[in-house]
Amino acid sequence: MLSMADIKARYPFFYTDDIDSGSLNLVDEGAFNAFGMVQWLRSTARDNGVEYIGNEVIDISLDGSKVRSIKLQSGEQITVGTLVNAAGTRAATVSRLAGIDLPIEARRRYTYIFSIDEPLLQDLPLTIDPTGVHLRSYGTKDYLVGCPPIGPDTAVDVNDFRFTEDAWEEKILPVITRQVPQFASARVTNSWIGHYEFNTFDHNAIVGPHSEVSNLLFCVGFSGHGSQQAPACGRGVAELIIYGRFQTLDLSVLSYKRIVQNRSLTERAVI
């Protein structure tokens, strides 16, 4: 924990008059290229014999309490040993094919890359404002900033990646120029819209088997934490398939059962 004076001494570029204290972790922290990580995981999976099929699941056939097969848009029928729903923002759509409801929807998030006339003389740590605006250094001279929508954070179509409002001018710029006055010269160099696969039940992942369909597993609902948690959760799901139990980490607190039992594990800071 850092006092206002500590923050000012360590990061003199911050405006601290409205800051009481902050938290900072300097152990095992950093940023990484999430897309690059996914590409590496896919490449490694292929090297280990995983086959990727470019298609769409349009039907799931059940036989009692088990998934028997899935049907693809191409017409191909695939017999299922174990089916894992890891469909991201489309997870609820896929689950409905088996008559199962999931509390997951797509939520819009904005990301901007910007530069300034005189870059800071040190890295900007990940800084989270109460408005949901969060920013950090991006490369050697640029900065990344993101935020949720300006108004209500509601569901959007999974294929809708439009900029429906000027989040930069109306939400982000006032916050970052107050936090770091040096950002008054900020110029956007890149921007995009992304979607959270938002778990409306408690904002945390759903990992493990369905409570009634024994060979249907979930790895969904990460609500913005996916790149951070997916490798560990993927390993956990693999262990369930191979050994019938978690071995490396006990992820049972994230089970689907908590939804049936109405036991929320609420994440209170979804940025």
Side-chain angles (χ1 to χ4, degrees):
M1 295 297 298
L2 301 178
S3 68
M4 182 185 73
D6 293 333
I7 295 172
K8 191 69 174 176
R10 189 185 290 264
Y11 303 107
F13 49 78
F14 276 129
Y15 175 79
T16 56
D17 287 5
D18 59 353
I19 294 176
D20 177 80
S21 59
S23 63
L24 177 69
N25 183 20
L26 298 176
V27 180
D28 297 332
E29 292 288 339
F32 59 90
N33 181 333
F35 182 73
M37 181 190 73
V38 170
Q39 294 295 88
W40 172 76
L41 288 170
R42 286 170 64 92
S43 174
T44 303
R46 285 193 179 96
D47 290 344
N48 286 307
V50 171
E51 178 186 0
Y52 286 90
I53 301 173
N55 217 301
E56 180 181 345
V57 177
I58 60 171
D59 189 40
I60 297 176
S61 297
L62 298 176
D63 183 7
S65 61
K66 284 195 171 185
V67 177
R68 182 177 71 250
S69 63
I70 60 173
K71 184 178 181 181
L72 304 182
Q73 195 172 51
S74 61
E76 184 180 0
Q77 196 98 358
I78 298 178
T79 301
V80 168
T82 300
L83 179 65
V84 179
N85 183 345
T89 56
R90 294 167 172 80
T93 301
V94 172
S95 281
R96 280 195 291 271
L97 297 175
I100 296 167
D101 288 325
L102 281 181
I104 293 173
E105 58 191 32
R107 297 277 185 93
R108 180 181 280 112
R109 291 296 183 269
Y110 298 97
T111 301
Y112 295 84
I113 308 300
F114 67 92
S115 61
I116 59 176
D117 290 341
E118 297 182 15
L120 305 177
L121 297 179
Q122 61 192 107
D123 280 345
L124 173 70
L126 176 61
T127 304
I128 304 171
D129 187 81
T131 61
V133 174
H134 48 283
L135 59 156
R136 62 170 173 84
S137 290
Y138 184 79
T140 56
K141 296 182 179 180
D142 294 330
Y143 304 91
L144 178 150
V145 59
C147 72
I150 294 174
D153 189 12
T154 55
V156 297
D157 186 270
V158 295
N159 296 308
D160 183 0
F161 293 94
R162 296 172 298 149
F163 283 81
T164 58
E165 55 194 357
D166 193 348
W168 172 259
E169 289 287 344
E170 296 180 31
K171 185 170 186 175
I172 290 176
L173 197 55
V175 170
I176 66 173
T177 54
R178 180 175 177 80
Q179 286 183 336
V180 184
Q182 209 166 326
F183 287 166
S185 64
R187 299 178 303 277
V188 175
T189 58
N190 197 4
S191 61
W192 61 86
I193 291 285
H195 290 164
Y196 279 2
E197 47 166 316
F198 199 87
N199 177 358
T200 60
F201 179 68
D202 63 5
H203 319 149
N204 270 304
I206 304 170
V207 179
H210 185 262
S211 54
E212 296 179 6
V213 183
S214 59
N215 65 337
L216 172 61
L217 278 66
F218 300 108
C219 195
V220 296
F222 290 91
S223 304
H225 303 138
S227 296
Q228 301 165 51
Q229 297 178 350
C233 290
R235 180 173 186 143
V237 169
E239 290 172 353
L240 288 177
I241 294 171
I242 296 169
Y243 306 110
R245 65 186 185 280
F246 293 120
Q247 289 197 329
T248 307
L249 292 172
D250 183 359
L251 303 177
S252 55
V253 70
L254 298 175
S255 72
Y256 176 86
K257 188 183 298 182
R258 78 180 191 276
I259 297 174
V260 177
Q261 297 174 346
N262 198 28
R263 276 188 301 107
S264 64
L265 182 69
T266 303
E267 172 65 47
R268 300 189 183 279
V270 183
I271 64 167

PDB file of all heavy atoms in Angstrom, residues 230-248:
ATOM      1  N   ALA A 230      -7.047 -18.213 -18.824  1.00  0.00           N
ATOM      2  CA  ALA A 230      -7.326 -19.323 -19.740  1.00  0.00           C
ATOM      3  C   ALA A 230      -6.299 -20.459 -19.690  1.00  0.00           C
ATOM      4  O   ALA A 230      -6.689 -21.627 -19.696  1.00  0.00           O
ATOM      5  CB  ALA A 230      -7.470 -18.795 -21.171  1.00  0.00           C
ATOM      6  N   PRO A 231      -4.980 -20.174 -19.651  1.00  0.00           N
ATOM      7  CA  PRO A 231      -4.033 -21.295 -19.618  1.00  0.00           C
ATOM      8  C   PRO A 231      -4.242 -22.207 -18.407  1.00  0.00           C
ATOM      9  O   PRO A 231      -4.226 -23.434 -18.526  1.00  0.00           O
ATOM     10  CB  PRO A 231      -2.669 -20.600 -19.574  1.00  0.00           C
ATOM     11  CG  PRO A 231      -2.898 -19.290 -20.249  1.00  0.00           C
ATOM     12  CD  PRO A 231      -4.273 -18.871 -19.802  1.00  0.00           C
ATOM     13  N   ALA A 232      -4.454 -21.619 -17.226  1.00  0.00           N
ATOM     14  CA  ALA A 232      -4.663 -22.423 -16.026  1.00  0.00           C
ATOM     15  C   ALA A 232      -5.994 -23.170 -16.089  1.00  0.00           C
ATOM     16  O   ALA A 232      -6.077 -24.347 -15.726  1.00  0.00           O
ATOM     17  CB  ALA A 232      -4.612 -21.540 -14.779  1.00  0.00           C
ATOM     18  N   CYS A 233      -7.045 -22.464 -16.567  1.00  0.00           N
ATOM     19  CA  CYS A 233      -8.355 -23.116 -16.635  1.00  0.00           C
ATOM     20  C   CYS A 233      -8.379 -24.199 -17.707  1.00  0.00           C
ATOM     21  O   CYS A 233      -9.014 -25.246 -17.533  1.00  0.00           O
ATOM     22  CB  CYS A 233      -9.447 -22.072 -16.903  1.00  0.00           C
ATOM     23  SG  CYS A 233      -9.745 -20.970 -15.494  1.00  0.00           S
ATOM     24  N   GLY A 234      -7.668 -23.957 -18.816  1.00  0.00           N
ATOM     25  CA  GLY A 234      -7.564 -24.986 -19.849  1.00  0.00           C
ATOM     26  C   GLY A 234      -6.877 -26.232 -19.322  1.00  0.00           C
ATOM     27  O   GLY A 234      -7.289 -27.362 -19.598  1.00  0.00           O
ATOM     28  N   ARG A 235      -5.846 -26.035 -18.539  1.00  0.00           N
ATOM     29  CA  ARG A 235      -5.160 -27.186 -17.921  1.00  0.00           C
ATOM     30  C   ARG A 235      -6.101 -27.910 -16.968  1.00  0.00           C
ATOM     31  O   ARG A 235      -6.142 -29.143 -16.925  1.00  0.00           O
ATOM     32  CB  ARG A 235      -3.913 -26.712 -17.173  1.00  0.00           C
ATOM     33  CG  ARG A 235      -3.145 -27.849 -16.519  1.00  0.00           C
ATOM     34  CD  ARG A 235      -1.828 -27.394 -15.933  1.00  0.00           C
ATOM     35  NE  ARG A 235      -1.076 -28.535 -15.440  1.00  0.00           N
ATOM     36  CZ  ARG A 235       0.238 -28.665 -15.526  1.00  0.00           C
ATOM     37  NH1 ARG A 235       0.957 -27.726 -16.124  1.00  0.00           N
ATOM     38  NH2 ARG A 235       0.845 -29.716 -15.034  1.00  0.00           N
ATOM     39  N   GLY A 236      -6.871 -27.126 -16.194  1.00  0.00           N
ATOM     40  CA  GLY A 236      -7.825 -27.743 -15.274  1.00  0.00           C
ATOM     41  C   GLY A 236      -8.860 -28.588 -15.985  1.00  0.00           C
ATOM     42  O   GLY A 236      -9.173 -29.708 -15.546  1.00  0.00           O
ATOM     43  N   VAL A 237      -9.393 -28.078 -17.097  1.00  0.00           N
ATOM     44  CA  VAL A 237     -10.378 -28.842 -17.871  1.00  0.00           C
ATOM     45  C   VAL A 237      -9.738 -30.103 -18.448  1.00  0.00           C
ATOM     46  O   VAL A 237     -10.343 -31.181 -18.448  1.00  0.00           O
ATOM     47  CB  VAL A 237     -10.972 -27.963 -18.997  1.00  0.00           C
ATOM     48  CG1 VAL A 237     -11.777 -28.801 -19.975  1.00  0.00           C
ATOM     49  CG2 VAL A 237     -11.849 -26.871 -18.403  1.00  0.00           C
ATOM     50  N   ALA A 238      -8.496 -29.995 -18.934  1.00  0.00           N
ATOM     51  CA  ALA A 238      -7.791 -31.174 -19.451  1.00  0.00           C
ATOM     52  C   ALA A 238      -7.627 -32.231 -18.366  1.00  0.00           C
ATOM     53  O   ALA A 238      -7.783 -33.442 -18.615  1.00  0.00           O
ATOM     54  CB  ALA A 238      -6.439 -30.770 -20.013  1.00  0.00           C
ATOM     55  N   GLU A 239      -7.326 -31.783 -17.149  1.00  0.00           N
ATOM     56  CA  GLU A 239      -7.170 -32.730 -16.039  1.00  0.00           C
ATOM     57  C   GLU A 239      -8.500 -33.406 -15.705  1.00  0.00           C
ATOM     58  O   GLU A 239      -8.528 -34.615 -15.398  1.00  0.00           O
ATOM     59  CB  GLU A 239      -6.619 -31.998 -14.815  1.00  0.00           C
ATOM     60  CG  GLU A 239      -5.157 -31.579 -14.991  1.00  0.00           C
ATOM     61  CD  GLU A 239      -4.641 -30.692 -13.868  1.00  0.00           C
ATOM     62  OE1 GLU A 239      -5.452 -30.276 -13.001  1.00  0.00           O
ATOM     63  OE2 GLU A 239      -3.433 -30.399 -13.862  1.00  0.00           O
ATOM     64  N   LEU A 240      -9.599 -32.677 -15.784  1.00  0.00           N
ATOM     65  CA  LEU A 240     -10.916 -33.287 -15.555  1.00  0.00           C
ATOM     66  C   LEU A 240     -11.192 -34.378 -16.581  1.00  0.00           C
ATOM     67  O   LEU A 240     -11.724 -35.447 -16.257  1.00  0.00           O
ATOM     68  CB  LEU A 240     -12.007 -32.224 -15.614  1.00  0.00           C
ATOM     69  CG  LEU A 240     -12.102 -31.242 -14.445  1.00  0.00           C
ATOM     70  CD1 LEU A 240     -13.191 -30.206 -14.720  1.00  0.00           C
ATOM     71  CD2 LEU A 240     -12.396 -31.975 -13.132  1.00  0.00           C
ATOM     72  N   ILE A 241     -10.839 -34.106 -17.838  1.00  0.00           N
ATOM     73  CA  ILE A 241     -11.093 -35.080 -18.906  1.00  0.00           C
ATOM     74  C   ILE A 241     -10.216 -36.323 -18.729  1.00  0.00           C
ATOM     75  O   ILE A 241     -10.681 -37.462 -18.873  1.00  0.00           O
ATOM     76  CB  ILE A 241     -10.830 -34.432 -20.284  1.00  0.00           C
ATOM     77  CG1 ILE A 241     -11.855 -33.309 -20.543  1.00  0.00           C
ATOM     78  CG2 ILE A 241     -10.902 -35.478 -21.397  1.00  0.00           C
ATOM     79  CD1 ILE A 241     -11.538 -32.479 -21.773  1.00  0.00           C
ATOM     80  N   ILE A 242      -8.954 -36.116 -18.408  1.00  0.00           N
ATOM     81  CA  ILE A 242      -8.003 -37.233 -18.348  1.00  0.00           C
ATOM     82  C   ILE A 242      -8.089 -37.999 -17.030  1.00  0.00           C
ATOM     83  O   ILE A 242      -8.095 -39.239 -17.003  1.00  0.00           O
ATOM     84  CB  ILE A 242      -6.565 -36.714 -18.564  1.00  0.00           C
ATOM     85  CG1 ILE A 242      -6.428 -36.117 -19.969  1.00  0.00           C
ATOM     86  CG2 ILE A 242      -5.547 -37.837 -18.369  1.00  0.00           C
ATOM     87  CD1 ILE A 242      -5.139 -35.356 -20.194  1.00  0.00           C
ATOM     88  N   TYR A 243      -8.146 -37.262 -15.910  1.00  0.00           N
ATOM     89  CA  TYR A 243      -8.055 -37.892 -14.587  1.00  0.00           C
ATOM     90  C   TYR A 243      -9.375 -37.889 -13.818  1.00  0.00           C
ATOM     91  O   TYR A 243      -9.483 -38.554 -12.778  1.00  0.00           O
ATOM     92  CB  TYR A 243      -6.995 -37.180 -13.735  1.00  0.00           C
ATOM     93  CG  TYR A 243      -5.640 -37.097 -14.391  1.00  0.00           C
ATOM     94  CD1 TYR A 243      -5.151 -35.870 -14.829  1.00  0.00           C
ATOM     95  CD2 TYR A 243      -4.849 -38.223 -14.578  1.00  0.00           C
ATOM     96  CE1 TYR A 243      -3.901 -35.767 -15.434  1.00  0.00           C
ATOM     97  CE2 TYR A 243      -3.605 -38.143 -15.180  1.00  0.00           C
ATOM     98  CZ  TYR A 243      -3.130 -36.915 -15.610  1.00  0.00           C
ATOM     99  OH  TYR A 243      -1.904 -36.822 -16.212  1.00  0.00           O
ATOM    100  N   GLY A 244     -10.356 -37.116 -14.300  1.00  0.00           N
ATOM    101  CA  GLY A 244     -11.625 -37.040 -13.593  1.00  0.00           C
ATOM    102  C   GLY A 244     -11.611 -36.122 -12.395  1.00  0.00           C
ATOM    103  O   GLY A 244     -12.576 -36.087 -11.628  1.00  0.00           O
ATOM    104  N   ARG A 245     -10.540 -35.361 -12.218  1.00  0.00           N
ATOM    105  CA  ARG A 245     -10.439 -34.433 -11.080  1.00  0.00           C
ATOM    106  C   ARG A 245      -9.360 -33.394 -11.368  1.00  0.00           C
ATOM    107  O   ARG A 245      -8.477 -33.604 -12.210  1.00  0.00           O
ATOM    108  CB  ARG A 245     -10.078 -35.186  -9.800  1.00  0.00           C
ATOM    109  CG  ARG A 245      -8.709 -35.833  -9.824  1.00  0.00           C
ATOM    110  CD  ARG A 245      -8.439 -36.678  -8.604  1.00  0.00           C
ATOM    111  NE  ARG A 245      -7.076 -37.202  -8.594  1.00  0.00           N
ATOM    112  CZ  ARG A 245      -6.672 -38.257  -9.273  1.00  0.00           C
ATOM    113  NH1 ARG A 245      -7.541 -38.925 -10.029  1.00  0.00           N
ATOM    114  NH2 ARG A 245      -5.415 -38.672  -9.206  1.00  0.00           N
ATOM    115  N   PHE A 246      -9.431 -32.273 -10.662  1.00  0.00           N
ATOM    116  CA  PHE A 246      -8.376 -31.273 -10.747  1.00  0.00           C
ATOM    117  C   PHE A 246      -7.135 -31.789 -10.016  1.00  0.00           C
ATOM    118  O   PHE A 246      -7.244 -32.379  -8.949  1.00  0.00           O
ATOM    119  CB  PHE A 246      -8.824 -29.954 -10.105  1.00  0.00           C
ATOM    120  CG  PHE A 246      -9.936 -29.267 -10.831  1.00  0.00           C
ATOM    121  CD1 PHE A 246     -11.148 -29.017 -10.198  1.00  0.00           C
ATOM    122  CD2 PHE A 246      -9.778 -28.851 -12.147  1.00  0.00           C
ATOM    123  CE1 PHE A 246     -12.184 -28.368 -10.857  1.00  0.00           C
ATOM    124  CE2 PHE A 246     -10.806 -28.194 -12.822  1.00  0.00           C
ATOM    125  CZ  PHE A 246     -12.012 -27.958 -12.175  1.00  0.00           C
ATOM    126  N   GLN A 247      -5.965 -31.526 -10.594  1.00  0.00           N
ATOM    127  CA  GLN A 247      -4.725 -31.955  -9.966  1.00  0.00           C
ATOM    128  C   GLN A 247      -3.791 -30.790  -9.631  1.00  0.00           C
ATOM    129  O   GLN A 247      -3.240 -30.734  -8.539  1.00  0.00           O
ATOM    130  CB  GLN A 247      -3.995 -32.952 -10.876  1.00  0.00           C
ATOM    131  CG  GLN A 247      -4.682 -34.303 -10.968  1.00  0.00           C
ATOM    132  CD  GLN A 247      -3.763 -35.382 -11.510  1.00  0.00           C
ATOM    133  OE1 GLN A 247      -2.879 -35.102 -12.318  1.00  0.00           O
ATOM    134  NE2 GLN A 247      -3.964 -36.614 -11.078  1.00  0.00           N
ATOM    135  N   THR A 248      -3.624 -29.885 -10.566  1.00  0.00           N
ATOM    136  CA  THR A 248      -2.681 -28.782 -10.349  1.00  0.00           C
ATOM    137  C   THR A 248      -3.268 -27.708  -9.444  1.00  0.00           C
ATOM    138  O   THR A 248      -2.656 -27.296  -8.463  1.00  0.00           O
ATOM    139  CB  THR A 248      -2.275 -28.160 -11.700  1.00  0.00           C
ATOM    140  OG1 THR A 248      -1.806 -29.188 -12.569  1.00  0.00           O
ATOM    141  CG2 THR A 248      -1.181 -27.118 -11.506  1.00  0.00           C
TER     142      THR A 248
END
